[in-house]
Every structure is written in C-alpha cells, then in structure tokens.
Coordinates of all heavy atoms in Angstrom, one line a residue:
A105 N 17.6 -8.5 -88.4 CA 17.8 -7.2 -87.7 C 18.6 -7.4 -86.4 O 19.4 -6.6 -86.0 CB 16.5 -6.5 -87.4
S106 N 18.3 -8.6 -85.7 CA 19.1 -8.8 -84.5 C 20.6 -8.9 -84.7 O 21.4 -8.5 -83.9 CB 18.5 -10.0 -83.7 OG 18.7 -11.2 -84.5
F107 N 20.9 -9.5 -85.9 CA 22.4 -9.6 -86.2 C 23.0 -8.3 -86.3 O 24.1 -8.0 -85.9 CB 22.6 -10.4 -87.5 CG 24.0 -10.5 -88.0 CD1 24.9 -11.3 -87.4 CD2 24.4 -9.6 -89.0 CE1 26.2 -11.3 -87.8 CE2 25.7 -9.6 -89.4 CZ 26.6 -10.4 -88.8
Q108 N 22.3 -7.3 -86.9 CA 22.8 -6.0 -87.1 C 23.0 -5.3 -85.7 O 24.0 -4.6 -85.5 CB 21.9 -5.2 -88.0 CG 21.8 -5.7 -89.4 CD 20.8 -5.0 -90.2 OE1 19.7 -4.6 -89.7 NE2 21.0 -4.8 -91.5
L109 N 22.1 -5.5 -84.8 CA 22.2 -4.9 -83.5 C 23.4 -5.5 -82.7 O 24.1 -4.8 -82.1 CB 20.9 -5.1 -82.7 CG 19.7 -4.4 -83.2 CD1 18.4 -4.7 -82.3 CD2 19.9 -2.9 -83.2
L110 N 23.6 -6.8 -82.8 CA 24.7 -7.4 -82.2 C 26.0 -6.9 -82.8 O 27.0 -6.6 -82.0 CB 24.6 -8.9 -82.3 CG 23.5 -9.6 -81.6 CD1 23.4 -11.1 -81.9 CD2 23.5 -9.4 -80.1
E111 N 26.0 -6.7 -84.1 CA 27.2 -6.2 -84.8 C 27.5 -4.8 -84.3 O 28.6 -4.4 -84.0 CB 27.0 -6.3 -86.3 CG 28.2 -5.8 -87.1 CD 27.8 -5.9 -88.6 OE1 27.2 -5.0 -89.1 OE2 28.3 -6.9 -89.2
A112 N 26.5 -4.0 -84.2 CA 26.6 -2.6 -83.7 C 27.1 -2.5 -82.3 O 27.9 -1.7 -81.9 CB 25.3 -1.8 -83.9
F113 N 26.6 -3.4 -81.5 CA 27.0 -3.5 -80.1 C 28.5 -3.9 -79.9 O 29.2 -3.3 -79.2 CB 26.1 -4.4 -79.2 CG 26.2 -4.1 -77.8 CD1 25.6 -3.1 -77.2 CD2 26.9 -5.0 -77.0 CE1 25.7 -2.8 -75.8 CE2 27.1 -4.8 -75.6 CZ 26.4 -3.7 -75.0
E114 N 28.9 -4.8 -80.7 CA 30.3 -5.2 -80.7 C 31.2 -4.1 -81.2 O 32.2 -3.8 -80.6 CB 30.5 -6.4 -81.6 CG 31.9 -7.0 -81.6 CD 32.1 -8.3 -82.3 OE1 31.1 -8.8 -82.9 OE2 33.2 -8.8 -82.3
K115 N 30.7 -3.3 -82.2 CA 31.5 -2.2 -82.6 C 31.6 -1.1 -81.5 O 32.6 -0.5 -81.3 CB 30.9 -1.6 -83.9 CG 31.7 -0.4 -84.5 CD 31.1 0.0 -85.8 CE 32.0 1.2 -86.3 NZ 31.6 1.6 -87.7
A116 N 30.5 -0.9 -80.8 CA 30.5 0.1 -79.7 C 31.4 -0.3 -78.6 O 32.1 0.5 -78.0 CB 29.0 0.2 -79.1
I117 N 31.5 -1.6 -78.3 CA 32.5 -2.1 -77.3 C 33.9 -1.8 -77.8 O 34.7 -1.3 -77.0 CB 32.3 -3.6 -77.1 CG1 31.0 -4.0 -76.4 CG2 33.5 -4.2 -76.3 CD1 30.7 -5.4 -76.3
G118 N 34.2 -2.0 -79.0 CA 35.5 -1.7 -79.6 C 35.8 -0.2 -79.5 O 36.9 0.1 -79.1
E119 N 34.9 0.6 -79.8 CA 35.1 2.0 -79.8 C 35.4 2.6 -78.4 O 36.2 3.4 -78.2 CB 33.9 2.8 -80.4 CG 33.8 2.7 -81.9 CD 32.6 3.5 -82.4 OE1 31.9 4.1 -81.6 OE2 32.4 3.4 -83.6
V120 N 34.6 2.0 -77.4 CA 34.7 2.5 -76.0 C 35.9 1.8 -75.2 O 36.6 2.5 -74.6 CB 33.4 2.3 -75.3 CG1 33.5 2.7 -73.8 CG2 32.3 3.2 -76.0
C121 N 36.0 0.5 -75.4 CA 36.9 -0.2 -74.5 C 38.2 -0.7 -75.3 O 39.1 -1.2 -74.7 CB 36.2 -1.5 -74.0 SG 34.8 -1.1 -72.9
G122 N 38.2 -0.5 -76.6 CA 39.4 -0.9 -77.4 C 39.1 -2.2 -78.1 O 38.3 -3.0 -77.6
E123 N 39.7 -2.4 -79.2 CA 39.5 -3.6 -80.0 C 39.9 -4.9 -79.3 O 39.3 -5.9 -79.6 CB 40.2 -3.4 -81.4 CG 39.7 -2.4 -82.3 CD 38.2 -2.6 -82.7 OE1 37.8 -3.7 -82.9 OE2 37.5 -1.6 -82.7
A124 N 40.8 -4.8 -78.4 CA 41.2 -6.1 -77.7 C 40.1 -6.6 -76.9 O 39.9 -7.8 -76.8 CB 42.4 -5.8 -76.8
M125 N 39.2 -5.8 -76.4 CA 38.1 -6.2 -75.6 C 37.1 -7.0 -76.5 O 36.5 -8.0 -76.0 CB 37.3 -5.0 -75.0 CG 36.1 -5.4 -74.2 SD 36.4 -6.4 -72.8 CE 36.8 -5.2 -71.6
T126 N 37.0 -6.7 -77.8 CA 36.0 -7.5 -78.6 C 36.5 -8.9 -78.8 O 35.6 -9.8 -79.1 CB 35.8 -6.8 -80.0 OG1 37.1 -6.7 -80.7 CG2 35.3 -5.4 -79.8
A127 N 37.7 -9.2 -78.6 CA 38.2 -10.6 -78.6 C 37.8 -11.4 -77.4 O 37.8 -12.6 -77.4 CB 39.7 -10.7 -78.8
N128 N 37.5 -10.7 -76.3 CA 37.2 -11.3 -75.0 C 35.8 -11.2 -74.6 O 35.4 -11.8 -73.6 CB 38.1 -10.7 -73.9 CG 39.6 -10.9 -74.3 OD1 40.0 -12.0 -74.4 ND2 40.3 -9.8 -74.4
A129 N 35.0 -10.4 -75.3 CA 33.6 -10.2 -75.0 C 32.8 -10.1 -76.3 O 33.0 -9.2 -77.0 CB 33.4 -9.0 -74.1
K130 N 31.9 -11.1 -76.5 CA 31.1 -11.1 -77.8 C 29.6 -11.1 -77.5 O 29.1 -11.9 -76.7 CB 31.4 -12.4 -78.5 CG 32.8 -12.5 -79.1 CD 32.9 -11.8 -80.4 CE 34.2 -12.0 -81.0 NZ 34.6 -11.0 -81.9
P131 N 28.9 -10.1 -78.1 CA 27.5 -10.1 -78.0 C 26.9 -11.4 -78.7 O 27.3 -11.7 -79.8 CB 27.1 -8.9 -78.7 CG 28.3 -8.0 -78.9 CD 29.4 -9.0 -78.8
M132 N 26.1 -12.1 -78.0 CA 25.6 -13.4 -78.5 C 24.1 -13.4 -79.0 O 23.8 -13.9 -80.1 CB 25.7 -14.5 -77.4 CG 27.1 -14.7 -76.9 SD 28.3 -15.1 -78.2 CE 27.8 -16.8 -78.6
Y133 N 23.3 -12.8 -78.2 CA 21.9 -12.7 -78.6 C 21.1 -11.6 -77.8 O 21.7 -11.1 -76.8 CB 21.2 -14.1 -78.5 CG 21.2 -14.7 -77.1 CD1 20.2 -14.4 -76.2 CD2 22.2 -15.5 -76.7 CE1 20.2 -15.0 -74.9 CE2 22.2 -16.1 -75.4 CZ 21.2 -15.9 -74.6 OH 21.2 -16.4 -73.3
L134 N 19.9 -11.3 -78.2 CA 19.1 -10.3 -77.5 C 18.0 -11.1 -76.7 O 17.5 -12.1 -77.2 CB 18.4 -9.5 -78.6 CG 19.3 -8.8 -79.6 CD1 18.4 -8.1 -80.7 CD2 20.2 -7.8 -78.9
K135 N 17.8 -10.6 -75.5 CA 16.7 -11.2 -74.7 C 16.0 -10.1 -74.0 O 16.6 -9.3 -73.2 CB 17.4 -12.1 -73.6 CG 16.4 -12.9 -72.8 CD 17.0 -13.9 -71.9 CE 16.0 -14.7 -71.2 NZ 16.6 -15.7 -70.4
Q136 N 14.7 -9.9 -74.3 CA 13.9 -8.8 -73.9 C 14.6 -7.5 -74.1 O 14.9 -7.2 -75.3 CB 13.5 -9.0 -72.4 CG 12.7 -10.3 -72.2 CD 12.6 -10.7 -70.8 OE1 13.3 -10.2 -69.9 NE2 11.7 -11.7 -70.5
N137 N 14.9 -6.7 -73.1 CA 15.6 -5.4 -73.4 C 17.1 -5.5 -73.1 O 17.7 -4.5 -72.8 CB 14.9 -4.2 -72.7 CG 15.1 -4.3 -71.2 OD1 15.4 -5.4 -70.6 ND2 15.0 -3.2 -70.5
A138 N 17.6 -6.7 -73.0 CA 19.0 -6.9 -72.7 C 19.8 -7.5 -73.9 O 19.3 -8.2 -74.7 CB 19.2 -7.8 -71.5
I139 N 21.1 -7.2 -73.9 CA 22.0 -7.8 -74.8 C 22.9 -8.8 -74.0 O 23.5 -8.4 -73.0 CB 22.9 -6.7 -75.5 CG1 22.0 -5.8 -76.3 CG2 23.9 -7.4 -76.4 CD1 22.7 -4.6 -77.0
V140 N 22.9 -10.0 -74.4 CA 23.6 -11.1 -73.7 C 25.0 -11.2 -74.3 O 25.1 -11.4 -75.5 CB 22.9 -12.4 -73.7 CG1 23.7 -13.5 -73.0 CG2 21.5 -12.2 -73.1
V141 N 26.0 -11.0 -73.5 CA 27.4 -11.0 -73.9 C 28.2 -12.1 -73.3 O 28.1 -12.3 -72.0 CB 28.1 -9.6 -73.5 CG1 29.5 -9.6 -73.9 CG2 27.3 -8.5 -74.1
A142 N 28.9 -12.9 -74.1 CA 29.7 -14.0 -73.6 C 31.1 -13.4 -73.3 O 31.7 -12.7 -74.1 CB 29.8 -15.1 -74.6
C143 N 31.6 -13.6 -72.1 CA 32.9 -13.1 -71.6 C 33.8 -14.2 -71.2 O 33.3 -15.2 -70.7 CB 32.7 -12.1 -70.4 SG 31.8 -10.6 -70.8
L144 N 35.1 -14.1 -71.5 CA 36.0 -15.1 -71.2 C 36.3 -15.2 -69.6 O 36.6 -16.2 -69.1 CB 37.4 -14.9 -71.9 CG 37.3 -15.2 -73.4 CD1 38.7 -14.9 -74.0 CD2 36.9 -16.6 -73.6
S145 N 36.0 -14.0 -69.0 CA 36.2 -14.0 -67.5 C 35.3 -12.9 -66.9 O 35.0 -12.0 -67.6 CB 37.6 -13.9 -67.1 OG 38.0 -12.5 -67.1
P146 N 35.0 -13.0 -65.6 CA 34.3 -11.9 -65.0 C 35.0 -10.5 -65.0 O 34.4 -9.5 -65.0 CB 34.2 -12.4 -63.5 CG 34.2 -13.9 -63.6 CD 35.2 -14.1 -64.7
L147 N 36.3 -10.6 -65.2 CA 37.1 -9.3 -65.3 C 36.6 -8.5 -66.5 O 36.4 -7.3 -66.4 CB 38.5 -9.6 -65.5 CG 39.5 -8.4 -65.6 CD1 39.5 -7.6 -64.3 CD2 40.9 -8.9 -66.0
Y148 N 36.3 -9.2 -67.6 CA 35.8 -8.5 -68.8 C 34.4 -7.9 -68.6 O 34.1 -6.9 -69.1 CB 35.9 -9.4 -70.1 CG 37.4 -9.8 -70.4 CD1 37.8 -11.1 -70.2 CD2 38.3 -8.8 -70.7 CE1 39.1 -11.4 -70.5 CE2 39.6 -9.2 -71.0 CZ 40.0 -10.5 -70.8 OH 41.3 -10.9 -71.1
A149 N 33.6 -8.7 -67.9 CA 32.2 -8.3 -67.6 C 32.3 -7.0 -66.8 O 31.5 -6.1 -67.0 CB 31.5 -9.4 -66.9
Q150 N 33.2 -7.0 -65.8 CA 33.3 -5.8 -64.9 C 33.7 -4.6 -65.7 O 33.2 -3.5 -65.5 CB 34.3 -6.1 -63.8 CG 34.5 -5.0 -62.8 CD 35.5 -5.3 -61.7 OE1 36.2 -6.3 -61.8 NE2 35.6 -4.4 -60.8
E151 N 34.7 -4.8 -66.6 CA 35.1 -3.7 -67.5 C 34.0 -3.1 -68.3 O 33.8 -1.9 -68.5 CB 36.3 -4.2 -68.4 CG 36.8 -3.1 -69.3 CD 37.8 -2.2 -68.6 OE1 38.2 -2.4 -67.5 OE2 38.0 -1.1 -69.2
L152 N 33.1 -4.0 -68.9 CA 32.0 -3.6 -69.7 C 31.0 -2.8 -68.8 O 30.5 -1.8 -69.2 CB 31.3 -4.7 -70.3 CG 32.1 -5.5 -71.4 CD1 31.3 -6.6 -72.0 CD2 32.4 -4.5 -72.5
M153 N 30.8 -3.3 -67.6 CA 29.8 -2.6 -66.7 C 30.4 -1.2 -66.3 O 29.6 -0.2 -66.2 CB 29.6 -3.4 -65.4 CG 28.7 -4.6 -65.7 SD 27.2 -4.3 -66.6 CE 26.3 -3.4 -65.4
L154 N 31.7 -1.1 -66.2 CA 32.3 0.3 -65.8 C 32.0 1.3 -66.9 O 31.9 2.5 -66.7 CB 33.8 0.1 -65.6 CG 34.2 -0.5 -64.3 CD1 35.7 -0.8 -64.3 CD2 33.8 0.3 -63.1
H155 N 31.9 0.8 -68.2 CA 31.8 1.6 -69.3 C 30.4 1.5 -70.0 O 30.2 1.9 -71.1 CB 32.8 1.3 -70.4 CG 34.2 1.5 -69.9 ND1 34.8 2.8 -69.7 CD2 35.2 0.7 -69.5 CE1 36.0 2.7 -69.2 NE2 36.3 1.4 -69.1
K156 N 29.4 1.0 -69.2 CA 28.1 0.7 -69.8 C 27.4 1.9 -70.4 O 26.9 1.8 -71.5 CB 27.2 0.1 -68.7 CG 25.8 -0.1 -69.1 CD 25.0 -0.6 -67.9 CE 23.5 -0.7 -68.3 NZ 22.7 -1.1 -67.2
I157 N 27.5 3.0 -69.7 CA 26.8 4.3 -70.3 C 27.4 4.7 -71.6 O 26.7 5.0 -72.6 CB 26.9 5.4 -69.2 CG1 26.0 5.0 -68.0 CG2 26.4 6.7 -69.8 CD1 26.1 5.9 -66.8
Q158 N 28.7 4.7 -71.7 CA 29.4 5.1 -72.9 C 29.2 4.1 -74.0 O 29.0 4.4 -75.2 CB 30.9 5.2 -72.7 CG 31.3 6.3 -71.7 CD 31.5 5.8 -70.3 OE1 30.8 4.9 -69.8 NE2 32.5 6.4 -69.6
I159 N 29.2 2.8 -73.7 CA 28.9 1.7 -74.7 C 27.5 1.9 -75.3 O 27.4 1.9 -76.5 CB 29.1 0.3 -74.1 CG1 30.6 0.1 -73.8 CG2 28.6 -0.7 -75.1 CD1 30.9 -1.2 -72.9
F160 N 26.5 2.1 -74.4 CA 25.2 2.2 -74.9 C 25.0 3.5 -75.7 O 24.3 3.5 -76.7 CB 24.1 2.1 -73.8 CG 23.7 0.7 -73.6 CD1 24.2 0.0 -72.5 CD2 22.9 0.0 -74.4 CE1 23.9 -1.3 -72.2 CE2 22.5 -1.3 -74.2 CZ 23.0 -2.0 -73.1
A161 N 25.7 4.6 -75.3 CA 25.6 5.8 -76.1 C 26.2 5.6 -77.5 O 25.6 6.0 -78.5 CB 26.4 6.9 -75.4
S162 N 27.3 4.9 -77.6 CA 28.0 4.6 -78.9 C 27.1 3.7 -79.7 O 26.9 3.9 -80.9 CB 29.3 4.0 -78.6 OG 29.9 3.6 -79.9
F163 N 26.5 2.7 -79.0 CA 25.6 1.7 -79.7 C 24.4 2.4 -80.3 O 24.1 2.2 -81.5 CB 25.1 0.7 -78.6 CG 24.1 -0.3 -79.0 CD1 24.3 -1.1 -80.1 CD2 22.9 -0.3 -78.4 CE1 23.3 -2.0 -80.5 CE2 21.9 -1.2 -78.7 CZ 22.1 -2.1 -79.8
Q164 N 23.8 3.3 -79.6 CA 22.6 4.0 -80.1 C 23.0 4.9 -81.3 O 22.3 5.0 -82.3 CB 22.0 4.8 -79.0 CG 21.3 3.9 -78.0 CD 20.5 4.7 -77.0 OE1 20.7 5.9 -76.8 NE2 19.7 4.0 -76.2
K165 N 24.2 5.5 -81.2 CA 24.7 6.4 -82.3 C 24.9 5.6 -83.6 O 24.5 5.9 -84.7 CB 26.0 7.1 -81.9 CG 26.5 8.0 -82.9 CD 27.8 8.7 -82.4 CE 28.4 9.5 -83.5 NZ 29.9 9.5 -83.5
I166 N 25.6 4.4 -83.4 CA 25.8 3.5 -84.5 C 24.5 3.1 -85.2 O 24.4 3.1 -86.4 CB 26.7 2.3 -84.1 CG1 28.1 2.8 -83.7 CG2 26.8 1.3 -85.2 CD1 28.9 1.8 -82.9
C167 N 23.6 2.7 -84.3 CA 22.3 2.2 -84.9 C 21.5 3.3 -85.6 O 21.0 3.0 -86.7 CB 21.4 1.6 -83.7 SG 22.0 0.0 -83.1
K168 N 21.6 4.5 -85.1 CA 20.9 5.6 -85.8 C 21.5 5.9 -87.1 O 20.9 6.1 -88.1 CB 20.9 6.8 -84.9 CG 19.9 6.8 -83.8 CD 20.0 8.0 -82.9 CE 19.1 7.9 -81.7 NZ 19.3 9.1 -80.8
E169 N 22.9 6.0 -87.1 CA 23.6 6.4 -88.3 C 23.6 5.3 -89.4 O 23.4 5.6 -90.6 CB 25.0 6.8 -88.0 CG 25.1 8.0 -87.2 CD 26.6 8.3 -86.8 OE1 27.5 7.5 -87.0 OE2 26.8 9.4 -86.1
K170 N 23.8 4.0 -89.0 CA 24.0 3.0 -90.0 C 22.7 2.3 -90.4 O 22.5 1.9 -91.5 CB 24.9 1.9 -89.4 CG 25.4 0.9 -90.4 CD 26.6 0.1 -89.8 CE 27.1 -0.9 -90.9 NZ 28.2 -1.7 -90.4
Y171 N 21.7 2.2 -89.4 CA 20.5 1.5 -89.7 C 19.2 2.3 -89.5 O 18.1 1.8 -89.7 CB 20.4 0.2 -88.7 CG 21.6 -0.7 -88.8 CD1 22.4 -0.8 -87.7 CD2 21.9 -1.3 -90.0 CE1 23.5 -1.6 -87.7 CE2 23.1 -2.1 -90.0 CZ 23.9 -2.3 -88.9 OH 25.0 -3.1 -89.0
Q172 N 19.4 3.6 -89.2 CA 18.2 4.4 -89.0 C 17.2 3.8 -88.0 O 16.0 3.8 -88.3 CB 17.5 4.8 -90.3 CG 18.3 5.6 -91.3 CD 19.4 4.9 -92.0 OE1 19.2 3.8 -92.5 NE2 20.6 5.4 -91.9
Y173 N 17.8 3.3 -87.0 CA 17.0 2.5 -86.0 C 17.4 3.0 -84.6 O 18.6 3.1 -84.3 CB 17.2 1.0 -86.1 CG 16.5 0.2 -85.1 CD1 15.1 -0.1 -85.2 CD2 17.2 -0.4 -84.1 CE1 14.5 -0.8 -84.3 CE2 16.6 -1.2 -83.1 CZ 15.2 -1.4 -83.3 OH 14.6 -2.2 -82.3
E174 N 16.4 3.2 -83.7 CA 16.8 3.5 -82.3 C 16.4 2.4 -81.4 O 15.3 2.1 -81.1 CB 15.9 4.8 -81.9 CG 16.4 5.4 -80.6 CD 15.9 6.8 -80.4 OE1 15.6 7.4 -81.4 OE2 15.8 7.1 -79.3
P175 N 17.5 1.7 -80.9 CA 17.3 0.5 -80.1 C 16.7 0.8 -78.7 O 17.0 1.9 -78.2 CB 18.7 -0.2 -80.0 CG 19.6 1.0 -80.2 CD 18.9 1.9 -81.1
E176 N 16.0 -0.1 -78.2 CA 15.4 0.0 -76.8 C 16.2 -0.7 -75.8 O 15.8 -0.7 -74.6 CB 13.9 -0.4 -76.8 CG 13.1 0.5 -77.7 CD 11.6 0.0 -77.8 OE1 11.3 -0.9 -77.0 OE2 10.9 0.5 -78.6
H177 N 17.2 -1.4 -76.2 CA 18.0 -2.3 -75.3 C 18.8 -1.4 -74.3 O 19.4 -0.4 -74.8 CB 18.9 -3.2 -76.1 CG 18.2 -4.1 -77.0 ND1 17.8 -3.6 -78.2 CD2 17.7 -5.3 -76.9 CE1 17.1 -4.6 -78.8 NE2 17.1 -5.6 -78.0
S178 N 18.8 -1.7 -73.0 CA 19.4 -0.9 -72.1 C 20.2 -1.7 -71.0 O 20.7 -1.1 -70.0 CB 18.4 0.1 -71.4 OG 17.4 -0.7 -70.7
K179 N 20.2 -3.0 -71.1 CA 20.9 -3.8 -70.1 C 21.9 -4.8 -70.8 O 21.7 -5.1 -71.9 CB 19.8 -4.7 -69.4 CG 18.9 -3.9 -68.5 CD 17.9 -4.8 -67.8 CE 16.9 -3.9 -67.1 NZ 15.9 -4.8 -66.4
I180 N 22.9 -5.1 -70.0 CA 23.8 -6.2 -70.4 C 23.7 -7.3 -69.5 O 23.7 -7.1 -68.3 CB 25.3 -5.6 -70.4 CG1 25.4 -4.4 -71.2 CG2 26.2 -6.7 -70.9 CD1 26.8 -3.7 -71.1
R181 N 23.6 -8.5 -70.0 CA 23.7 -9.7 -69.2 C 24.9 -10.5 -69.7 O 25.2 -10.4 -70.9 CB 22.4 -10.5 -69.4 CG 21.2 -9.8 -68.8 CD 20.0 -10.6 -68.8 NE 18.9 -9.7 -68.5 CZ 18.0 -9.8 -67.6 NH1 18.0 -10.9 -66.8 NH2 17.1 -9.0 -67.4
F182 N 25.4 -11.3 -68.8 CA 26.7 -12.0 -69.2 C 26.6 -13.5 -69.1 O 25.9 -14.1 -68.3 CB 27.8 -11.5 -68.2 CG 28.0 -10.1 -68.3 CD1 27.5 -9.2 -67.4 CD2 28.8 -9.5 -69.4 CE1 27.7 -7.8 -67.5 CE2 29.0 -8.2 -69.5 CZ 28.4 -7.3 -68.5
L183 N 27.4 -14.1 -70.0 CA 27.6 -15.6 -70.0 C 29.1 -15.8 -69.8 O 29.9 -15.0 -70.3 CB 27.2 -16.2 -71.3 CG 25.8 -16.1 -71.8 CD1 25.7 -16.6 -73.2 CD2 24.9 -16.9 -70.9
F184 N 29.4 -16.8 -69.0 CA 30.9 -17.1 -68.7 C 31.2 -18.5 -69.2 O 30.4 -19.3 -69.2 CB 31.2 -16.9 -67.2 CG 31.0 -15.5 -66.8 CD1 29.9 -15.2 -66.0 CD2 31.9 -14.5 -67.1 CE1 29.7 -13.9 -65.5 CE2 31.7 -13.2 -66.6 CZ 30.6 -12.9 -65.8

C-alpha cells in the first residue's frame, strides 16, 4: 500500500508542478504522517512547498479515485 501512496504522490507532483519536476523530486518513503521526498536541490523543495496545498489536494483525489483510500499524510520532508 505504501508503494501506491508514493506513486499517487509522484503523480500529484506532476499534475501540479509539471512532469519535469518528477525527474527532480521523488517520493521515497512514508514516515509517520509525512511523505519523504528526495530532491536534487533545495530549489525543488522550495517549489514543492509553494504548491503543497495543491499537491496534497491532488494526492487525496488520486488516492480516493484510484485506491478508494483517504490518506492521512499532510507533511512533506526532504532529503538532499
């Protein structure tokens, strides 16, 4: 199930920030109520934080439609 959530979060990043962003920021794993994302630079992390609300809205929509699941994750943590 965690793989499906990471896949849904990556798709949400692509929908909100563009597909180019998914090459530079990859969801790696879940930790408590956070999704840990590896970014190539702090610039990409900043871009994700600017769009955090829209990304999580898209993430929740994808999870409901594709997996009939409502995720409780609400934070992004970063690895560089």
Side-chain angles (χ1 to χ4, degrees):
S106 63
F107 173 77
Q108 293 172 329
L109 293 178
L110 295 174
E111 185 179 79
F113 197 76
E114 184 171 2
K115 184 173 181 176
I117 290 172
E119 286 181 3
V120 174
C121 300
E123 291 301 318
M125 178 62 85
T126 61
N128 299 300
K130 290 278 185 205
M132 301 302 288
Y133 58 90
L134 307 172
K135 185 173 184 177
Q136 296 165 350
N137 69 336
I139 297 174
V140 179
V141 178
C143 294
L144 289 181
S145 80
L147 179 68
Y148 298 113
Q150 182 179 7
E151 182 76 15
L152 292 178
M153 289 308 293
L154 287 172
H155 298 287
K156 178 183 172 183
I157 293 171
Q158 296 96 322
I159 291 169
F160 273 104
S162 178
F163 172 61
Q164 290 183 347
K165 181 179 175 219
I166 292 166
C167 287
K168 284 180 189 175
E169 290 175 357
K170 194 169 182 180
Y171 305 116
Q172 294 74 49
Y173 177 76
E174 193 165 332
E176 296 177 10
H177 302 83
S178 61
K179 295 180 182 175
I180 305 173
R181 295 186 191 233
F182 299 101
L183 300 172
F184 298 104

